[in-house]
Amino acid sequence: MTSIQTDLSGHAAVITGSTSGIGLALAEGLAAAGANIVLNGLGDSDEIETTRVDLAQRHGVDVRYHGANMLKPDEIADLIAFTKSELGRVDILVNNAGIQHVAKVEEFPEGKWDSIIAINLSSAFHTIKAAVPIMKDQGRGRIINIASAHGLVASPFKSAYVAAKHGIMGLTKSVALEVAESGITSNAICPGYVKTPLVEGQIADTAKARGISEEDVVNDVILKAQPTKQFVTYDQLNGLMLYLASDAGASCNGAAYQVDGGWVAQ
C-alpha cells in the first residue's frame, strides 16, 4: 500500500478571482503545497503586486498576475495561454470568480443578469475550453469549480446567481465525462457562507438596517440555513481543494462536494 501525498511542487495553478477573499485563500493553500500560481482579479495594482511578492517569498514559489476581465472571452483565453507560457504547464484550474446581486425577479436589472451569468458561469466555460487541450497534452489536469450551496438549492431574490451556480454544476459534470479518459478531473466545491470581507460588510450593514445586533444577524439571518451556525473557514475549503488537486483525488470526477455545515442536508 502506497502513501498518496498532496505535495504539488512544480505544478502550475491558475485561480480566477484570486486577489481577495476565497480566491486568495485558495491561492495561498496551493502555494503552501508547492504549486506555482497565476493570480487573477480586480483591485489596486500596488496592493496586488504586494500580495504577489509576499505569496512568492513566503512559500518559495513562482507567482504571476494576469488581469483578465472575466466578461471578455479573449482575455480569459489569454489568461490560460499566459499561464502555460510563464509557468510551462496548466495543471490546476480553479474557477472562483463571481459576483452577486439581490432583487425580485420582476425587478432584476437585465444588465446585472447578463454580468452574473457571464462572470459566474460563462467565464468558467472559457477557461476550461482553453485549458483542456493543454491538460490533455500533459496527460493530467485538475478542474475545480467553486460553486455554492446555491448550485444545489435555491434562495429567493437571487435568480441570476442561483441559475449560474446550477449551470456550473451541469458544466462540471459534462466536462468530467468528456475528459474522464485523459487523466483530467472536473469537480465542484459547494461552500456555504464563508466569512469573507464582503460578508463581514454585509453583517454590519444588515445589523444597522434592521436595528439588531451583529450576533443576531449572524445567527438569525446569515447562518440561518447552516445547522452548525458556524462559518465555513478558508482552511476547510483548502483541505478539500488540495485533496481534489492531488493524486489522492484522482478518482473523484464530476462530483459536487458540499462544505456548508449541513445546509443542503435539510
Side-chain angles (χ1 to χ4, degrees):
M1 183 175 179
T2 59
S3 177
I4 299 177
Q5 303 297 319
T6 55
D7 179 14
L8 299 175
S9 297
H11 291 232
V14 54
I15 309 100
T16 66
S18 53
T19 51
S20 65
I22 291 174
L24 181 56
L26 297 178
E28 181 86 33
L30 287 165
N36 298 315
I37 303 293
V38 172
L39 297 172
N40 159 262
L42 304 175
D44 178 80
S45 59
D46 291 338
E47 292 180 2
I48 291 172
E49 177 61 12
T50 298
T51 297
R52 186 195 68 78
V53 171
D54 175 67
L55 198 60
Q57 291 179 343
R58 283 190 294 107
H59 298 293
V61 297
D62 193 349
V63 180
R64 308 295 177 95
Y65 170 75
H66 190 289
N69 185 331
M70 293 295 107
L71 290 169
K72 299 182 178 180
D74 58 336
E75 293 188 17
I76 296 171
D78 191 63
L79 167 65
I80 303 302
F82 173 86
T83 303
K84 176 66 165 65
S85 174
E86 296 296 311
L87 301 182
R89 302 177 59 83
V90 181
D91 297 286
I92 302 161
L93 168 61
V94 182
N95 286 307
N96 169 75
I99 59 173
Q100 174 67 288
H101 184 78
V102 178
K104 295 179 180 178
V105 68
E106 68 268 28
E107 299 172 359
F108 211 97
E110 293 176 4
K112 288 291 186 182
W113 172 278
D114 292 341
S115 294
I116 290 171
I117 296 300
I119 293 173
N120 295 23
L121 175 58
S122 296
S123 70
F125 160 75
H126 293 299
T127 59
I128 291 169
K129 180 180 179 180
V132 162
I134 299 170
M135 291 177 172
K136 283 183 175 180
D137 286 344
Q138 296 168 173
R140 187 188 190 281
R142 298 288 186 267
I143 298 165
I144 302 171
N145 297 319
I146 307 304
S148 167
H150 281 123
L152 302 169
V153 296
S155 290
F157 314 121
K158 299 179 180 179
S159 56
Y161 188 85
V162 171
K165 292 302 184 180
H166 273 66
I168 281 288
M169 300 311 305
L171 177 64
T172 298
K173 294 175 183 179
S174 185
V175 170
L177 297 177
E178 290 186 28
V179 301
E181 296 183 19
S182 303
I184 305 169
T185 64
S186 172
N187 292 288
I189 296 176
C190 300
Y193 280 105
V194 182
K195 201 171 186 180
T196 63
L198 180 63
V199 169
E200 289 181 345
Q202 290 176 355
I203 292 170
D205 291 344
T206 302
K208 184 177 180 179
R210 297 195 180 197
I212 60 178
S213 70
E214 292 191 8
E215 182 179 0
D216 286 341
V217 171
V218 169
N219 291 326
D220 300 333
V221 181
I222 302 293
L223 295 183
K224 184 178 180 180
Q226 292 183 196
T228 58
K229 301 300 181 185
Q230 295 180 353
F231 285 99
V232 177
T233 70
Y234 291 145
D235 284 345
Q236 289 161 354
L237 292 179
N238 267 318
L240 177 55
M241 180 194 60
L242 293 175
Y243 171 75
L244 294 174
S246 72
D247 288 343
S251 288
C252 301
N253 196 32
Y257 293 90
Q258 300 153 219
V259 189
D260 63 4
W263 179 345
V264 177
Q266 299 177 93

